[in-house]
Amino acid sequence: MPVFRRRHLCSLTAALALTATVPVTAAHADAPDASAALRQVLFVGNNWDGTAEVIKATGDFARIGRINVIPDKDERMAEINADPIRWIAFMTIRNSVGEGHDQFVDDMYSTPDGKSVVVSRPSFADVVSIDLASGRINWRFPVSGFRSDHMAVSPDGKRVAVSASTGNTVHVLDIETGKQLGKAATGDKPHENIFTKDGKYIYNMSIGEVNTQTDASWLDWTKGDRRITVIDATTYEQVKVIDMRPRLDAIGLKDFSDAVRPAVFSPDESKLYFQVSFFHGFFEYDLATDKITRTKTLPKNPATSDDRTTFVNDSRHHGLSMSPDGKKLCVAGTMDDYATVVDRTTLQEGPLVTAAKPYWATVSGDGKSCVVSESGTDQVTAIDFATGKKVASVPVGDHPQRVRLGHVEAGWTSPSAG
């Protein structure tokens, strides 16, 4: 397996400690407008160059076009350079979670009519809607704090939730107008968001301080308040908090981190599968019994150091998706340079497919493949759920992370600004 270069992350000041980007479930496909001819695609966020690749959602996954998601870069940079506090935050992102690069696109979803794509931009601490025909910005929403992160779209495609990672807040926006519909408080450094399939609840995972060097298990308490916050998606009130610390302790895993990273529900939403910081594997959590029911430890890459301080943003494995029938899980083994398909019944993994720093896993449009982003080689790779074997790889832009299903209008081509 190839070994990619690793960089030690800079420690942050307490005021500006920031969360990791990247990390899990297969995205809800946007609800298409039946009155328009739409084409299903995959959007790939090229975090370091500020573009989103648009590729076929099935077949050979060939490139269709590219979108510039920072057409207002000069204006944003002028604002940042004029504000010393924002400049410090911007540079902190660059030198910590950005690994020396600016983070211009973390997550993205298309609108139901396929006319726009909504993008969270960590370094600019905002969410924008970009017109897919012109490449121009429709609306912009600055998040609380200094950094935006993972998003989720409601099953009907009308609302988008975004984590404000230094503001410990989830904002819920109208996807067409950018108007805030509500917000909710979270644990420290909110990260992944998941809407339940009925659209009634949002599950938010806070991952705590991932940029400090206090990574030894006995220093785990320094990482902050890490929990799953269940939010009512109508009132935006907290419904429940799930802290995995006592659940891990109950099965003898006191040395394991309780920072829930990528996660995915089973089709009936009775089980939640999730990854945690530093661990090469995942857990199964039963919602009815409120217990972790199974642990899956995946193979280590012998070339990967066990020194936790070398793991990018505390994540050893980061990326998890499930086949539509619920029979297979797909795991991105980020620091171990592979991806693999796991049988959900037996938890037996399939072939370890070589992949350079895979940072996300989602599902193809036809549900037959797992699609992972290889941030180490600037490509996305599709793996067949049935065989566990690689079926295609396509080049994209600089440091691909999130990959999401969405729609564009039939016949769409890149805007001139892209």
Side-chain angles (χ1 to χ4, degrees):
M1 298 181 188
V3 181
F4 52 84
R5 292 174 296 177
R6 303 178 175 87
R7 301 176 186 173
H8 287 275
L9 300 175
C10 300
S11 296
L12 305 182
T13 62
L16 295 176
L18 304 167
T19 108
T21 54
V22 304
V24 93
T25 66
H28 292 288
D30 297 339
D33 180 351
S35 66
L38 299 179
R39 180 180 189 179
Q40 190 178 50
V41 297
L42 283 166
F43 291 92
V44 183
N46 302 312
N47 194 19
W48 290 352
D49 67 18
T51 63
E53 217 77 42
V54 183
I55 65 175
K56 292 180 180 178
T58 59
D60 62 2
F61 301 92
R63 182 180 182 273
I64 297 168
R66 176 176 284 187
I67 307 155
N68 175 18
V69 303
I70 49 171
D72 58 339
K73 181 180 179 181
D74 290 346
E75 181 181 356
R76 300 281 79 81
M77 289 306 302
E79 292 173 350
I80 290 166
N81 290 330
D83 184 333
I85 301 300
R86 288 192 62 191
W87 183 86
I88 292 170
F90 181 86
M91 295 304 294
T92 300
I93 293 170
R94 176 184 291 177
N95 293 316
S96 57
V97 292
E99 301 175 76
H101 300 264
D102 298 323
Q103 295 193 310
F104 289 133
V105 49
D106 186 88
D107 216 341
M108 71 245 101
Y109 287 99
S110 60
T111 53
D113 59 10
K115 293 183 178 180
S116 302
V117 63
V118 175
V119 182
S120 61
R121 306 188 300 181
S123 288
F124 291 159
D126 65 11
V127 181
V128 293
S129 171
I130 296 176
D131 184 273
L132 286 168
S134 68
R136 299 189 182 94
I137 292 177
N138 298 315
W139 55 257
R140 175 175 180 258
F141 180 87
V143 302
S144 60
F146 300 103
R147 188 175 177 277
S148 56
D149 200 43
H150 286 232
M151 300 198 298
V153 72
S154 58
D156 62 6
K158 295 181 179 180
R159 295 170 292 164
V160 62
V162 58
S163 287
S165 58
T166 67
N168 292 355
T169 300
V170 171
H171 301 278
V172 182
L173 312 177
D174 183 297
I175 202 168
E176 295 288 352
T177 67
K179 179 182 178 181
Q180 179 170 273
L181 303 174
K183 63 180 181 178
T186 67
D188 291 335
K189 308 302 179 289
H191 190 53
E192 177 70 343
N193 295 290
I194 307 173
F195 273 92
T196 55
K197 62 184 179 182
D198 60 9
K200 292 183 178 179
Y201 301 101
I202 302 167
Y203 279 65
N204 174 268
M205 290 67 169
S206 55
I207 59 173
E209 308 298 343
V210 299
N211 305 120
T212 64
Q213 295 296 301
T214 54
D215 294 339
S217 59
W218 68 275
L219 291 171
D220 190 64
W221 59 273
T222 67
K223 295 292 187 175
D225 178 15
R226 295 154 302 168
R227 53 185 163 98
I228 299 174
T229 304
V230 184
I231 301 161
D232 186 302
T234 301
T235 66
Y236 306 106
E237 297 293 325
Q238 176 182 299
V239 174
K240 184 179 181 181
V241 168
I242 304 171
D243 182 353
M244 285 300 173
R245 179 74 277 141
R247 281 103 177 145
L248 289 164
D249 292 350
I251 57 174
L253 300 179
K254 296 180 183 294
D255 290 341
F256 280 59
S257 172
D258 60 355
V260 176
R261 310 300 289 262
V264 61
F265 279 110
S266 60
D268 64 1
E269 295 185 336
S270 66
K271 302 286 196 301
L272 182 73
Y273 296 85
F274 65 93
Q275 296 164 315
V276 298
S277 292
F278 308 119
F279 179 48
H280 51 289
F282 60 88
F283 298 96
E284 176 188 80
Y285 170 74
D286 185 276
L287 277 74
T289 64
D290 191 24
K291 293 180 179 178
I292 294 173
T293 46
R294 291 193 291 175
T295 302
K296 174 59 180 177
T297 302
L298 284 162
K300 294 181 180 181
N301 181 344
T304 299
S305 171
D306 284 329
D307 179 358
R308 287 184 171 196
T309 64
T310 66
F311 298 173
V312 176
N313 301 321
D314 290 359
S315 55
R316 182 151 189 168
H317 284 192
H318 196 288
L320 194 63
S321 65
M322 185 180 292
S323 59
D325 61 10
K327 294 181 178 180
K328 301 288 180 68
L329 288 154
C330 180
V331 182
T334 310
M335 300 303 297
D336 288 299
D337 288 336
Y338 69 75
T340 189
V341 172
V342 177
D343 184 279
R344 188 173 153 228
T345 300
T346 65
L347 294 189
Q348 178 59 51
E349 70 271 14
L352 304 184
V353 179
T354 299
K357 197 182 174 186
Y359 236 141
W360 195 250
T362 192
V363 179
S364 62
D366 58 11
K368 294 180 179 179
S369 300
C370 164
V371 181
V372 298
S373 57
E374 293 194 54
S375 60
T377 50
D378 297 341
Q379 64 181 5
V380 294
T381 291
I383 300 168
D384 184 78
F385 273 118
T387 66
K389 296 181 178 180
K390 174 180 170 177
V391 294
S393 289
V394 295
V396 292
D398 194 7
H399 207 264
Q401 292 189 190
R402 213 75 59 244
V403 183
R404 299 292 194 187
L405 275 172
H407 292 87
V408 297
E409 291 184 316
W412 176 85
T413 57
S414 299
S416 58

